[in-house]
């Protein structure tokens, strides 16, 4: 049996056969395009046969090389999977990937994570943000734990309530004093801040307060990102309606005030979610148990 070709030319050929581009193969392997060309030439010399042809500026595999490329792609993918599995089992540290809403991660979860790291020093936490319209995709995004807003009833997911909707108006102390904000009617007609995704927050708050919102919302400003709403409130640009859980630190430290009630409560909230049809890894179970115990 003939010995195997050198590994580097095989690696270059496998990448080039997938991309049908020396440039993209070079980018994947972090080498130059010339290095890929040289490795392919080395492999062609080894076999005494052409591996690629150019047709109308398009790189294509020769008929003889197509089956070989397919077999190599399968073999290298098996090697990648085996390497990942071995690394995961051999590594002392593991990474826990959590996906949630940006302001929730920064204002609510991040301050709690140092305590988790002290208790579980071998688990590295990786945070991923999700937009208001997207979902937590466990199958395709490599996520271990998600945080979703809603009723808590989602097919295929096990959920635990972290905190329920408790929405309050917030602004700077200076703005509250300058505008004489002391009750719900005094907020009507002021610059009000919210996000597109939560368009009912201010109308529902005024309804809860017994104020007609026909005139109350005439200066409503809506943004894509809740972080922008929070920043505008901190800068004194208007009155935001935000989760009480997000602004507790701001209120305690004087950056924001709650000028008046009521607190708008709904039967919705933010839930810790994991796939219900999968056995939980130890790191997922440890994080879930820890977080639920802290709240």
């Amino acid at each position: 049996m003939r010995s195997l070709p050198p590994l580097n030319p095989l690696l270059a050929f496998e990448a080039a056969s997938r991309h049908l581009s020396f440039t993209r193969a070079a980018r994947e392997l972090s080498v130059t395009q010339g290095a890929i060309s040289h490795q392919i030439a080395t492999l062609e010399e080894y076999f005494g046969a052409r591996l690629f042809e150019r047709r109308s500026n398009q790189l294509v595999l020769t008929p003889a090389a197509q089956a070989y490329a397919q077999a190599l792609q399968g073999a290298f993918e098996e090697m990648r999977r085996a390497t990942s599995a071995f690394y995961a089992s051999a590594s002392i540290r593991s990474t826990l990937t959590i996906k949630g809403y940006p302001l929730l991660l920064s204002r609510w979860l991040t301050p709690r994570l140092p305590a988790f790291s002290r208790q579980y020093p071998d688990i590295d936490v990786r945070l991923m943000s999700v937009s208001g319209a997207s979902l937590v995709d466990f199958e395709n995004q490599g996520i271990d734990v998600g945080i979703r807003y809603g009723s808590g009833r989602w097919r295929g997911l096990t959920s635990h309530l972290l905190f329920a909707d408790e929405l309050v108006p917030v602004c700077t102390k200076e703005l509250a004093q300058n505008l004489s904000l002391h009750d719900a009617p005094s907020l009507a007609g002021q610059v009000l801040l919210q996000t597109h995704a939560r368009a009912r927050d201010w109308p529902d708050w005024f309804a809860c307060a017994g104020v007609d919102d026909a005139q109350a919302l005439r200066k409503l400003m809506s943004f894509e990102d809740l972080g922008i709403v929070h920043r505008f409130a901190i800068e004194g640009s208007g009155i935001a309606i935000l989760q009480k859980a997000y602004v507790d630190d701001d209120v305690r430290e004087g950056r924001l005030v709650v000028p008046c009630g009521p607190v708008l409560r709904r039967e919705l909230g933010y839930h810790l979610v994991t796939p219900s049809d999968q056995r939980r890894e130890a790191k997922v179970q440890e994080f879930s148990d820890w977080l639920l115990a802290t709240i």
Side-chain angles (χ1 to χ4, degrees), residues 78-226:
E78 283 296 318
M79 289 170 63
R80 292 185 188 101
R81 280 199 292 265
T83 301
S84 295
F86 177 76
Y87 179 82
S89 63
S91 176
I92 296 175
R93 302 188 67 83
S94 60
T95 299
L96 178 79
T97 302
I98 305 168
K99 190 164 188 180
Y101 304 98
L103 201 60
L104 181 145
L105 296 179
S106 64
R107 303 296 303 170
W108 186 84
L109 182 60
T110 300
R112 291 171 162 79
L113 291 180
F116 175 75
S117 296
R118 286 193 295 271
Q119 188 168 340
Y120 297 96
D122 295 332
I123 300 177
D124 294 324
V125 176
R126 174 174 173 250
L127 301 180
M128 294 176 62
S129 63
V130 54
S131 69
S134 62
L135 301 177
V136 177
D137 186 348
F138 286 95
E139 185 174 347
N140 299 312
Q141 295 178 336
I143 301 164
D144 297 306
V145 176
I147 299 177
R148 280 187 66 174
Y149 173 77
S151 65
R153 295 183 293 275
W154 296 287
R155 181 177 298 178
L157 295 179
T158 298
S159 67
H160 298 279
L161 180 66
L162 297 176
F163 59 91
D165 252 353
E166 287 190 333
L167 296 162
V168 292
V170 290
C171 62
T172 62
K173 183 177 180 180
E174 293 74 18
L175 190 66
Q177 291 174 341
N178 292 340
L179 298 178
S180 299
L181 304 178
H182 52 83
D183 58 14
S186 68
L187 272 61
Q190 305 296 345
V191 176
L192 305 176
L193 312 171
Q194 67 176 26
T195 61
H196 305 322
R198 299 185 64 106
R200 289 299 313 168
D201 284 357
W202 271 120
D204 288 353
W205 185 86
F206 278 113
C208 178
V211 177
D212 181 8
D213 66 9
Q215 293 299 314
L217 303 175
R218 65 179 181 271
K219 292 184 181 178
L220 181 66
M221 296 177 65
S222 189
F223 300 89
E224 185 69 29
D225 183 73
L226 199 60

Side-chain angles (χ1 to χ4, degrees), residues 234-252:
I234 292 284
E235 292 175 353
S237 300
I239 310 162
I241 184 162
L242 292 169
Q243 293 288 345
K244 185 176 178 296
Y246 294 169
V247 296
D248 279 342
D249 286 347
D250 291 319
V251 172
R252 183 168 54 251

